[in-house]
Amino acid sequence: MTKSAPYLPIEDYGIIGNMKTVALISLEGSIDFMCFPDFDSPTIFASLLDHKKGGSFSITPQFKSHKTKQLYIPGTAVLLTRFFSDEGIAELTDYMPVKGMAENSICAIVRKIKTIRGKVTYKINCRPRFDYGMAEHDTYKEGKNELNFLAINDGDAVVRLIADFPLKFKEKDGYAEVTIPQGEEGYIVLESVKKDDNSKLQDIDFYKTSTYHETVDYWKKWISKSTYKGRWNELILRSAITLKLLTSASHGSMVAAPTFSIPESLEGNRNWDYRFTWIRDAAFTMYAFLRLGFSEEAAKFLHWIHERSGDEMLHLMYSIDGSLALEEKELEHLEGYLQTAPVLIGNGARDQHQLDIYGELIDTIYIYNKNHSKINYELWQTIQKHILCVVEGWEKPDHGIWEFRNGKKHFLHTRLMCWVAMDRAIKIATDRSFPYPEQEWKKVRDLIYTDIYENFWNEKIGAWVQYKGANEVDASALLMPLTHFITPDEPRWLSTLQVIEETLSTDVLIYRYDNSKNQDGLKGEEGTFNMCSFWFIEALAKNKETDKALEYFEKMTGYANHLGLFSEQIGKRGEHLGNFPQAFTHLALISAALELDKQLDRV
């Protein structure tokens, strides 16, 4: 494989991480995206968004031509990139060191270069670009094997590059050329360190002798907690590891995706920053973790939620530390992936009103309380505050799950999740004998149910529609049987499912909604939405259409990249679109697989 364009397909990347940040590593062995040292820190590598100004960290074997393959060490987040040529075989191992208490892990990337066959020369270019490529940096050298990059006007941020071979500066970038004989290896490590703080600096031998085995052991110990015994073990565990990589070890929150402004459409303005904790996405993720046996992550997230109990009402999204998400602004100096500006950081949806988040959250708490550990009364008091928001607001319009930017509507999904919030809170209270206004809550729950059943039904098209008065369906209606609002054999549901399939599907690929008239207030034609495709499969499985669901599941997982990773959407040519990898897709994959396993076991 030789580089033919400045931008590789989104699906040509793997990820490594340490539950503090994530790096995207291409099939060519280049780190083309990384926020450092935290998920929501500015990038130091962002050539995925601007191949000239973004910065990258590449290791390239000097072959005339080659092919590449990537794989993970099974059950871990350790990534191998292999280069195959008539002249030799080269292997690059990438990982971020993690040990027992992940929140105490060193923020570093270890890159091990090994020659499998032949005698191979490698060129290494480390081109950090601080503060999203806006800050200049100074450089200084310590001995032959250490380079330091100091951001100007960026506090005390320093990136340290060390190796077991000589390093040089080429202008202000790190550079090395090293020849490694067959069977031998070299190490190069990138660290985040504090200016003038030499107290905790490690030498290269530390990384060479201990961090690999510690990291592999950490991941294998973590994945061994899985209770999954189904048919798609490798696929499910890869999705679980991906979700874990998006979870903050320090806070218990998680990011919806570790990237920003990877476009959902190559023509339009559908570029968003997903490096925040959406209550909805995180709650869905914790639900998936609980179903796989990973209860510790859910417990930490619920603690994080409880810490937000001082807020008058939950915000739609937060920064990972619980502060308000950043305001949306454009980085005008970056051209964007494939020149698809705008490149945006922060998120304008942070101020939107989306009442559905209480349903996703309380449903997860319900499962946690039912199947894992009983919640305490303090958390119940927090839940009561959330329910009060639902009681007072369920009849009001909002921006909806898809974050429409052209006004509020009475969305079906929001109303459905208001019902879920009331229903699950009542069930928790009954299970625990917690005090609550029983008659009031049940009355509100039943009013919401009737409102959905009657006022969102469109007799003309034979379906529950996207919002009151609409003539279009929305793929989020697929959650109606998944949340047990109705049974899968309900006549109105069967009709709705048929309309969704007829109007929103291309085989297994499902659009969120028909946006031919740009009804969401945004430009550009987006791809099909992977999460909705897996919802569709799960709905088919619940309908006992097991053969069709199984076929569609295999088709859908075939759209994953070479490592089993998914972005947000699939384009017309089967290409990945949107931020990568996306939690929504992987948690929906897990849920669909679990439902399929359940139905197949009944046959």
Side-chain angles (χ1 to χ4, degrees):
M1 179 179 180
T2 55
K3 192 165 185 176
S4 57
Y7 296 102
L8 294 175
I10 297 163
E11 58 267 29
D12 281 6
Y13 286 87
I15 65 166
I16 60 172
N18 60 356
M19 284 66 73
K20 294 181 179 180
T21 192
V22 158
L24 271 60
I25 302 175
S26 76
L27 273 165
E28 296 176 351
S30 178
I31 300 176
D32 291 340
F33 186 95
M34 183 173 67
C35 299
F36 209 53
D38 298 308
F39 290 114
D40 52 2
S41 297
T43 55
I44 63 166
F45 303 128
S47 62
L48 187 63
L49 298 176
D50 192 308
H51 70 102
K52 294 180 180 178
K53 300 176 182 177
S56 63
F57 182 7
S58 63
I59 298 177
T60 310
Q62 298 305 290
F63 296 137
K64 293 179 181 178
S65 65
H66 63 266
K67 296 190 298 183
T68 62
K69 292 182 179 181
Q70 277 184 330
L71 69 151
Y72 283 108
I73 300 297
T76 78
V78 177
L79 182 67
L80 268 63
T81 306
R82 287 172 169 168
F83 304 80
F84 300 90
S85 169
D86 289 338
E87 304 158 71
I89 299 175
E91 181 178 272
L92 176 61
T93 302
D94 284 300
Y95 62 93
M96 290 190 185
V98 187
K99 52 185 178 181
M101 299 294 287
E103 60 268 31
N104 298 325
S105 297
I106 299 168
C107 206
I109 293 178
V110 180
R111 314 199 75 182
K112 182 179 78 171
I113 310 161
K114 184 174 182 179
T115 299
I116 305 299
R117 179 175 60 78
K119 185 177 182 180
V120 181
T121 297
Y122 302 83
K123 287 188 177 180
I124 298 158
N125 287 280
C126 184
R127 303 170 47 248
R129 298 293 182 265
F130 291 90
D131 194 18
Y132 304 108
M134 294 187 291
E136 296 295 328
H137 65 269
D138 285 332
T139 59
Y140 61 92
K141 191 172 182 181
E142 294 282 349
K144 293 182 178 180
N145 299 358
E146 177 180 338
L147 305 178
N148 289 271
F149 306 85
L150 172 63
I152 301 173
N153 300 324
D154 189 21
D156 55 358
V158 178
V159 171
R160 178 175 178 248
L161 190 68
I162 57 175
D164 60 1
F165 47 81
L167 300 173
K168 300 177 181 179
F169 282 120
K170 181 180 285 188
E171 296 181 352
K172 289 191 175 183
D173 296 333
Y175 175 78
E177 184 171 326
V178 59
T179 300
I180 300 177
Q182 180 171 311
E184 296 187 16
E185 56 194 31
Y187 283 79
I188 186 166
V189 175
L190 186 78
E191 289 182 314
S192 173
V193 298
K194 296 293 184 180
K195 183 180 179 182
D196 300 325
D197 182 7
N198 298 318
S199 60
K200 297 181 180 179
L201 295 183
Q202 303 289 350
D203 60 22
I204 195 68
D205 288 335
F206 166 79
Y207 290 102
K208 291 171 65 172
T209 58
S210 63
T211 59
Y212 178 82
H213 294 293
E214 279 185 343
T215 301
V216 169
D217 289 347
Y218 171 88
W219 283 109
K220 291 194 172 181
K221 183 178 179 180
W222 183 80
I223 208 67
S224 69
K225 298 175 184 177
S226 170
T227 57
Y228 181 73
K229 305 297 181 185
R231 295 162 176 79
W232 295 282
N233 191 63
E234 184 175 342
L235 190 64
I236 295 302
L237 296 187
R238 180 52 50 198
S239 287
I241 289 171
T242 302
L243 293 175
K244 178 66 171 174
L245 284 170
L246 304 186
T247 304
S248 170
S250 301
H251 301 286
S253 54
M254 68 167 298
V255 293
T259 56
F260 60 88
S261 284
I262 300 179
E264 298 171 5
S265 170
L266 298 184
E267 297 178 359
N269 59 346
R270 299 173 182 270
N271 303 348
W272 314 117
D273 189 347
Y274 277 8
R275 300 170 301 154
F276 302 105
T277 298
W278 272 256
I279 300 297
R280 176 192 307 114
D281 301 47
F284 272 138
T285 298
M286 298 309 147
Y287 191 104
F289 275 146
L290 287 170
R291 296 181 71 186
L292 295 177
F294 300 110
S295 57
E296 183 179 339
E297 284 69 24
K300 287 183 177 180
F301 173 67
L302 293 183
H303 177 74
W304 183 87
I305 283 290
H306 184 60
E307 290 179 330
R308 314 276 81 72
S309 61
D311 296 348
E312 183 177 342
M313 63 182 295
L314 279 177
H315 295 288
L316 165 65
M317 70 178 78
Y318 294 84
S319 294
I320 56 174
D321 65 0
S323 60
L324 189 62
L326 296 175
E327 290 185 10
E328 188 170 279
K329 69 175 184 178
E330 182 177 354
L331 301 178
E332 297 182 358
H333 64 289
L334 298 179
E335 70 175 22
Y337 176 75
L338 290 174
Q339 299 182 326
T340 52
V343 175
L344 301 176
I345 58 172
N347 200 298
R350 71 172 196 160
D351 298 319
Q352 286 190 0
H353 178 58
Q354 296 182 26
L355 202 60
D356 69 285
I357 61 176
Y358 295 107
E360 288 99 352
L361 175 60
I362 297 175
D363 195 21
T364 295
I365 298 174
Y366 165 72
I367 293 298
Y368 182 82
N369 179 78
K370 179 182 178 182
N371 296 333
H372 295 275
S373 181
K374 299 300 183 183
I375 67 169
N376 59 38
Y377 186 63
E378 286 187 354
L379 183 55
W380 174 246
Q381 290 177 304
T382 299
I383 293 171
Q384 286 181 301
K385 288 184 62 175
H386 299 332
I387 289 297
L388 182 60
C389 293
V390 176
V391 169
E392 294 178 346
W394 71 268
E395 295 180 279
K396 299 176 182 178
D398 71 353
H399 293 276
I401 182 176
W402 308 130
E403 301 180 353
F404 279 24
R405 295 202 172 194
N406 60 348
K408 300 177 182 179
K409 293 181 172 67
H410 292 276
F411 285 105
L412 170 64
H413 177 264
T414 298
R415 204 59 49 91
L416 173 66
M417 285 300 159
C418 286
W419 176 85
V420 169
M422 300 303 303
D423 181 71
R424 302 315 192 259
I426 291 168
K427 285 180 167 64
I428 294 170
T430 302
D431 175 69
R432 299 301 315 285
S433 298
F434 284 141
Y436 77 104
E438 181 178 357
Q439 290 185 344
E440 179 189 3
W441 285 17
K442 288 185 175 180
K443 179 181 178 181
V444 171
R445 181 192 63 181
D446 295 347
L447 284 172
I448 298 172
Y449 191 99
T450 303
D451 183 49
I452 294 171
Y453 196 88
E454 299 296 344
N455 298 328
F456 287 81
W457 176 257
N458 185 316
E459 188 67 37
K460 182 179 179 181
I461 68 171
W464 279 299
V465 289
Q466 185 179 51
Y467 57 88
K468 278 187 179 180
N471 292 307
E472 304 87 21
V473 290
D474 188 302
S476 62
L478 292 163
L479 289 174
M480 296 179 80
L482 274 54
T483 56
H484 307 291
F485 177 83
I486 49 170
T487 59
D489 56 359
E490 172 85 40
R492 283 190 174 188
W493 168 246
L494 293 174
S495 178
T496 300
L497 181 62
Q498 182 178 347
V499 174
I500 289 173
E501 186 166 12
E502 290 174 352
T503 60
L504 297 181
S505 76
T506 303
D507 194 47
V508 68
L509 299 172
I510 305 290
Y511 290 94
R512 295 189 284 183
Y513 44 82
D514 179 3
N515 197 40
S516 57
K517 299 178 182 178
N518 297 114
Q519 65 188 48
D520 57 11
L522 299 167
K523 299 177 182 178
E525 180 182 353
E526 67 178 15
T528 55
F529 208 77
N530 293 326
M531 176 174 65
C532 297
S533 298
F534 284 114
W535 284 349
F536 180 54
I537 293 164
E538 186 172 353
L540 289 174
K542 279 188 175 292
N543 277 21
K544 305 298 190 293
E545 296 183 63
T546 312
D547 289 343
K548 183 177 181 180
L550 180 60
E551 177 183 330
Y552 276 12
F553 185 79
E554 295 298 340
K555 283 185 174 183
M556 191 60 207
T557 55
Y559 285 102
N561 82 345
H562 56 288
L563 295 167
L565 304 179
F566 278 97
S567 65
E568 187 174 31
Q569 300 182 17
I570 300 295
K572 291 180 178 179
R573 301 184 306 278
E575 75 276 20
H576 286 214
L577 295 171
N579 286 307
F580 174 88
Q582 200 214 27
F584 253 165
T585 304
H586 286 278
L587 63 88
L589 183 158
I590 290 169
S591 188
L594 290 169
E595 182 63 33
L596 263 173
D597 278 322
K598 183 168 72 174
Q599 298 299 336
L600 291 168
D601 288 343
R602 290 175 176 173
V603 176

